[in-house]
Amino acid sequence: GSGTHASWNISIDGEVGATGSSLFRIIDTNTYSISSNTAENILGPQRIPANTFANGDIVHVSFVVRKFNTNGTLIPLLRINTSNSLTGSILLGTGFTFTTTQLWQKIQRDLNLRTDGSLMILNSALQAVTDNLVTTQNATIIAGINWTVDQWILPTVQMSSLSDAASVSAIQIRKL
């Protein structure tokens, strides 16, 4: 497949705001896109430097996916890894499957970095654009995310048609 990577405008604000939350923002001024590929692809990977977040934090991650054509479906996913790679990555969330006519979706997840070093999230395989829903499914507990080393937040997409194209047009990561 083909992909183009544009430069990202990265803004880091470590000050505590009026609400008591400190921000680590990453906002895209361009896009990272993929076309002619039906495998799962990383779009706009974001390296989180070691010790940016710690056990006990709650981290909000959101990204906007745009699909350019109406030839097939698309599934947006969110992963984490210690490298910019799908190999060994951990699924954090699955958005709704785009129908052929749907073109935009914002995916949001709140990552609860528990004091024991585990990560509690909404069931990662449950299709939802946000954690704000009622479900009978249990939360997913992921052991051993080590925030003292670099972590990568990996927005990904998987398209069903080689004739479609997609991009991530905005990403925000912030500590609540």
Side-chain angles (χ1 to χ4, degrees):
S2 63
T4 57
H5 185 276
S7 62
W8 292 81
N9 176 19
I10 299 176
S11 166
I12 301 173
D13 176 5
E15 295 182 19
V16 176
T19 61
S21 64
S22 66
L23 300 177
F24 178 90
R25 287 186 195 206
I26 301 170
I27 301 170
D28 175 18
T29 57
N30 294 292
T31 58
Y32 185 91
S33 61
I34 193 75
S35 62
S36 304
N37 194 321
T38 58
E40 184 177 359
N41 284 273
I42 298 170
L43 294 179
Q46 301 300 315
R47 184 180 63 85
I48 307 300
N51 301 308
T52 299
F53 302 120
N55 293 343
D57 288 345
I58 298 175
V59 178
H60 175 82
V61 179
S62 66
F63 67 100
V64 177
V65 176
R66 179 179 180 202
K67 185 164 74 93
F68 291 97
N69 300 318
T70 57
N71 300 308
T73 61
L74 177 146
I75 302 171
L77 302 117
L78 180 64
R79 295 182 175 276
I80 192 169
N81 203 353
T82 55
S83 64
N84 181 11
S85 171
L86 291 174
T87 303
S89 67
I90 298 169
L91 181 65
L92 297 177
T94 305
F96 290 121
T97 300
F98 281 58
T99 65
T100 55
T101 58
Q102 293 170 322
L103 299 176
W104 289 90
Q105 189 175 148
K106 181 178 181 180
I107 311 302
Q108 302 179 135
R109 287 293 183 271
D110 290 333
L111 312 177
N112 299 298
L113 316 182
R114 296 164 31 135
T115 56
D116 66 0
S118 65
L119 178 66
M120 185 174 73
I121 57 172
L122 178 74
N123 185 315
S124 59
L126 181 66
Q127 286 196 322
V129 294
T130 179
D131 293 334
N132 299 327
L133 58 87
V134 176
T135 177
T136 58
Q137 296 188 26
N138 290 327
T140 298
I141 306 295
I142 300 168
I145 304 293
N146 182 357
W147 294 98
T148 64
V149 299
D150 290 356
Q151 294 290 334
W152 286 80
I153 300 293
L154 305 172
T156 72
V157 298
Q158 185 163 10
M159 298 182 293
S160 68
S161 172
L162 292 172
S163 300
D164 270 331
S167 72
V168 170
S169 61
I171 298 173
Q172 183 182 54
I173 301 170
R174 63 185 164 104
K175 180 176 150 184
L176 298 179

